Amino acid sequence: MILKAFFAALGQLPDPRFRRVLLLGVALTLALLIAVSAGFVWLLSGLVGDQTTLPFIGDVRWLNDLVGWGSAFVLAILSVFLMVPVASAITSMFLDTVAQAVEDEHYPHLPKASAVPIGDAIRDTVNFLGVLIGANLLALILYLIFAPAAPLIFWGLNGFLLGREYFMLAAMRRVGRTEAKALRSRHMATIWTAGVLMAIPLSVPLLNLVIPILGAATFTHLFHLTQLKERRG
């Protein structure tokens, strides 16, 4: 079921609606990361000031530049690490476009889906973004402690989070939030496994930027396949 959903989604990647969501998601992600980085550097530079007095050294004027460049370097590293989680969260705002493209192509008999209210979509995206960033930052500690297992931790964590959220977003369009949660609980093992398969390519540069779109399409298929499975008993 997972492979059937994945290959169906893969075959639709050239869809113009997929490309539009990809470009929009990446552009908004870069804008957000640049804005946060610039704001953080500006805040630190303001706290340090143009001139600082250090014990036994006296007045120094270069500390501001050092803090600015140092924080910019650290943020650049973190931005690379956080690029995919942030892109995944932002792309979730446009899941409806991806899901509709999938359903137009593969499930044309379905009635029009109920659009998720924009307020709920923004709230869910902000919550998802916070959870993704927080969980991945906390996982840095585990990466350091269990370095050889770092890839497995990354795949397992992000696979769980991506699968859980993307399935919910796909299911809510058709059955509402309450039933979507119940459906997710009944098929959590399948959803997590599919999420891990989405998370593994996140380690590959450039390819990882396509994964949020591919994931959204895959979980739209997976939602319909799980419903079909339940109807058949």
Side-chain angles (χ1 to χ4, degrees):
M1 186 163 60
I2 294 173
L3 291 178
K4 182 178 180 180
F6 173 74
F7 284 114
L10 190 64
Q12 201 176 345
L13 274 182
D15 191 305
R17 284 175 285 185
F18 281 30
R19 291 200 301 270
R20 178 179 174 274
V21 172
L22 172 64
L23 294 175
L24 193 56
V26 170
L28 288 175
T29 299
L30 289 173
L32 176 62
L33 292 176
I34 290 171
V36 170
S37 299
F40 186 70
V41 171
W42 175 82
L43 178 62
L44 280 183
S45 298
L47 291 174
V48 172
D50 294 330
Q51 181 174 303
T52 303
T53 302
L54 296 178
F56 308 111
I57 297 177
D59 293 339
V60 293
R61 298 178 179 274
W62 45 264
L63 191 59
N64 181 284
D65 292 336
L66 179 63
V67 169
W69 285 105
S71 57
F73 176 75
V74 171
L75 282 168
I77 299 299
L78 286 177
S79 294
V80 171
F81 177 74
L82 295 174
M83 176 71 175
V84 173
V86 174
S88 300
I90 289 179
T91 300
S92 69
M93 288 183 62
F94 312 105
L95 174 65
D96 192 66
T97 301
V98 176
Q100 192 59 55
V102 169
E103 290 178 346
D104 288 345
E105 178 73 20
H106 297 274
Y107 312 94
H109 61 283
L110 292 175
K112 184 176 176 60
S114 300
V116 178
I118 186 64
D120 290 351
I122 294 174
R123 183 194 63 194
D124 290 341
T125 297
V126 171
N127 290 340
F128 184 36
L129 179 60
V131 170
L132 271 176
I133 293 177
N136 277 279
L137 287 176
L138 288 175
L140 285 173
I141 301 172
L142 296 178
Y143 298 158
L144 294 175
I145 298 175
F146 306 104
L152 298 178
I153 297 171
F154 178 84
W155 295 335
L157 172 64
N158 285 282
F160 175 79
L161 294 175
L162 290 174
R164 183 177 181 274
E165 187 68 14
Y166 275 28
F167 184 85
M168 274 294 295
L169 292 170
M172 282 193 302
R173 300 174 65 254
R174 290 289 172 184
V175 297
R177 189 179 297 271
T178 301
E179 178 57 27
K181 287 182 178 180
L183 192 62
R184 184 186 67 192
S185 297
R186 294 195 295 269
H187 298 277
M188 193 64 236
T190 299
I191 292 167
W192 193 352
T193 302
V196 170
L197 291 179
M198 294 295 103
I200 290 174
L202 294 181
S203 311
V204 182
L206 297 182
L207 176 61
N208 54 20
L209 297 178
V210 184
I211 295 306
I213 309 297
L214 187 59
T218 297
F219 280 99
T220 300
H221 283 292
L222 199 59
F223 160 69
H224 289 293
L225 290 172
T226 54
Q227 280 211 313
L228 180 62
K229 180 180 178 181
E230 290 199 346
R231 285 196 296 267
R232 290 176 174 174

